[in-house]
Amino acid sequence: MDVEPAAFEELPFEPGTVWLVGAGPGDPGLLTLHALSALRRADVIVHDALVSDRVMALASTTARREYAGKRGGRPSHSQHDISERLVALARQNLRVLRLKGGDPFIFGRGGEEAKALAEAGVCFRVVPGITAGIGGLAYAGIPATSRETNQALVLVAGHPAGDGEDRIDWEALGALGEPLVIYMGLSRLPEIGGRLIAGGLSPATKLAILTQATLASQSIVETTLGEAIADHPESPATAPTLIVIGAVIDLRHALLAHLIAP
């Protein structure tokens, strides 16, 4: 894709610096121009498991690629090791692209990596990306907000913090009654759902499970909170998966007849 010079100016990508870049939820068309520019100029790309092959295909053929994916329940690089690797690569005077699925600062550990770089004296740039909780819903025909249904939207991580402690007050979120988008929470759905109901959320509240958001393989299953708890599968769906809970799901049916699929 060619862009008129007057419309877009590439930012300096200096050797010895790190760009923390959001690759979006999967569809390469959702990359920002700055993200695409970084892909084409980086010397080394340290990428997550959730960065799609189609996004990686846009990278320079001369760029070295280092996998640093983290998947729940599977052997993964520690966050400390990833951060140290970014520092080490920058100190080799390389242009380092840390490429993350979604947005670096929304459940992407980008804040931890930025802090490690700052403490090491390494200069970095942050390039936001479209998080799956926004882009994925849009591709599925679910408006994240609507005057008909909600004035708030809660993005929440379904897995516990790094120390294993769940600090989310799910009962309070149930009492809030606003739509929820839960990342990485499918395996804990019975527990989370039970606590939401204990907080006051009706078991009849609409729930959707969205998998492989924005990709051609995207799928969505609609049910209710109570039914999802009762019918929870022993084996989780193919990651990545989002759980959407709330009245915004109802809006999808007015759009489906003319919604163009990914």
Side-chain angles (χ1 to χ4, degrees):
M1 178 181 64
D2 294 326
V3 179
E4 289 294 332
F8 172 69
E9 183 177 348
E10 286 189 326
L11 297 171
F13 195 171
E14 302 292 347
T17 65
V18 178
W19 282 28
L20 304 173
V21 175
D27 182 348
L30 298 179
L31 287 170
T32 65
L33 291 175
H34 288 316
L36 181 59
S37 172
L39 277 163
R40 291 175 173 174
R41 291 187 290 159
D43 297 314
V44 57
I45 302 171
V46 182
H47 63 95
D48 280 352
L50 297 182
V51 176
S52 73
D53 291 340
R54 292 173 65 202
V55 168
M56 290 301 296
L58 296 171
S60 167
T61 56
T62 62
R64 187 167 83 242
R65 305 177 185 203
E66 296 192 8
Y67 176 77
K70 298 180 73 64
R71 286 287 183 87
R74 303 183 194 177
S76 303
H77 299 77
S78 74
Q79 187 56 56
H80 177 268
D81 288 346
I82 295 171
S83 297
E84 288 297 304
R85 182 60 177 161
L86 296 177
V87 171
L89 290 169
R91 288 177 173 167
Q92 294 174 29
N93 207 38
L94 298 171
R95 296 177 183 87
V96 184
L97 169 55
R98 175 64 171 120
L99 192 62
K100 294 173 165 291
D103 180 272
F105 284 177
I106 299 182
F107 308 127
R109 303 177 190 248
E112 297 172 53
E113 293 171 1
K115 182 180 178 183
L117 293 168
E119 290 175 346
V122 174
C123 293
F124 63 92
R125 184 185 300 279
V126 180
V127 177
I130 297 176
T131 185
I134 302 299
L137 268 63
Y139 270 48
I142 302 174
T145 66
S146 168
R147 290 189 299 173
E148 302 170 39
T149 57
N150 61 308
Q151 293 181 294
L153 179 74
V154 180
L155 306 181
V156 57
H159 63 73
D163 59 6
E165 182 179 351
D166 187 352
R167 299 185 180 89
I168 303 298
D169 188 341
W170 294 102
E171 289 80 5
L173 292 180
L176 182 64
E178 296 289 355
L180 305 176
V181 178
I182 304 174
Y183 293 65
M184 303 162 287
L186 189 61
S187 64
R188 297 184 62 220
L189 181 55
E191 175 191 353
I192 291 170
R195 292 182 61 183
L196 291 171
I197 291 172
L201 199 61
S202 169
T205 303
K206 290 296 181 66
L207 180 146
I209 297 173
L210 179 60
T211 305
Q212 301 285 314
T214 78
L215 301 177
S217 54
Q218 172 180 291
S219 67
I220 184 167
V221 175
E222 289 189 46
T223 181
T224 66
L225 178 58
E227 290 171 349
I229 294 172
D231 299 335
H232 184 261
E234 292 185 6
S235 300
T238 303
T241 300
L242 290 171
I243 301 170
V244 187
I245 302 174
V248 291
I249 297 169
D250 284 330
L251 303 175
R252 178 172 183 259
H253 298 284
L255 309 179
L256 279 181
H258 300 284
L259 179 67
I260 299 174

